[in-house]
Amino acid sequence: MIVEIAKAKLNLALHVRARRSDGYHELETLFAFVADGDIVTVAPADADSFALAGPFAAVLGGEGDNLVTRAARGFREAFGGGAHAITLDKRLPVASGIGGGSADAAATLRALGRLHGVSLDALFPLADALGSDVPACLYGVTAIGRGRGEQLEPVPGLPGVPVLLVNPGVAVSTAEVFRRWDGVDRGPLPADPAAGRNDLEPPARAIAPVIGDVLDALAAQPGAGLVRMSGSGATCFALFDSDASRDAAADALSARGWWMLASNLS
Ligand code: C5P
């Protein structure tokens, strides 16, 4: 049996540069990954099966078609490998800007690749076809993403940096947030992500104003450095100067009833 962590994805900065004619947007983003996430297990079996568990299993809605089963189907069509029993322990909130389904699909491809000797590079076209964030999640390393996010340039990361993820429990549609982007190109990604932006934050806040409360609450925590929304939201994150200040922030915010994940960058 193969176990793969579908690490939560963060966009340390996300600059939307242009609307494309194919319905997507041209991005410059700095992807980073958190040490924790969903957990995908894959084992060879006599017949295909898929089981969901974990705190967000119910939100995902049944055990039918999803990015994990689509990834497994794509792998079978491209590489064979027979039937598999797959389980997804769904610990990350759904539709929340931290990869979620993309990370699950990527973890499924990685697990199948390990079982059947298929390299990450060979899995890239499958990942690319499953979604804009799936290639970044496939490699799971800090990288600049361009194009719709699939053109990846690995860069040095910030491994071990303490991070707190906070989601106020509002699912926002990625397509809807991109649709509400105002079309203004505010310039390229700077070398220091802290000097950058998330251009999807204003449209996401227009849909879910509580995102502003989360950002304010994180910025007020002692030891918090970079505070930003990830992806199309609604999950926000803060990087901290120590595990202790991150944990103190989690304690201080616990009464708000928001979902939180205290972890470290990977
Ligand atoms: O690629 P994926 O299916 O994850 O994207 C979901 C939606 O997000 C797309 O249908 C599109 O509306 C929007 N999107 C975009 N530009 C990107 C990535 C996603 O407009 N670079």
Side-chain angles (χ1 to χ4, degrees), residues 57-207:
V59 189
L60 207 55
E63 302 185 356
D65 191 52
N66 60 54
L67 274 171
V68 167
T69 51
R70 283 171 54 199
R73 204 158 52 235
F75 185 93
R76 162 97 52 92
E77 283 161 12
F79 303 108
H84 297 94
I86 301 179
T87 67
L88 170 60
D89 184 356
K90 191 76 200 151
R91 301 176 175 208
L92 302 175
V94 173
S96 76
I98 52 174
S102 302
D104 299 339
T108 304
L109 292 178
R110 278 199 307 273
L112 289 165
R114 280 170 62 193
L115 265 178
H116 300 291
V118 179
S119 72
L120 293 184
D121 288 348
L123 293 168
F124 182 93
L126 279 179
D128 190 30
L130 286 165
S132 303
D133 284 343
V134 185
C137 293
L138 179 68
Y139 292 99
V141 298
T142 308
I144 294 173
R146 297 190 177 84
R148 40 187 260 282
E150 86 287 10
Q151 296 166 21
L152 297 167
E153 177 194 339
V155 294
L158 303 166
V161 166
V163 62
L164 182 65
L165 277 57
V166 179
N167 182 286
V170 186
V172 292
S173 152
T174 299
E176 171 72 4
V177 172
F178 271 106
R179 229 181 346 261
R180 289 186 183 223
W181 174 61
D182 64 4
V184 178
D185 175 10
R186 293 175 177 81
L189 206 62
D192 175 7
R197 320 173 296 274
N198 183 344
D199 287 329
L200 296 180
E201 190 190 304
R205 285 174 71 153
I207 295 167

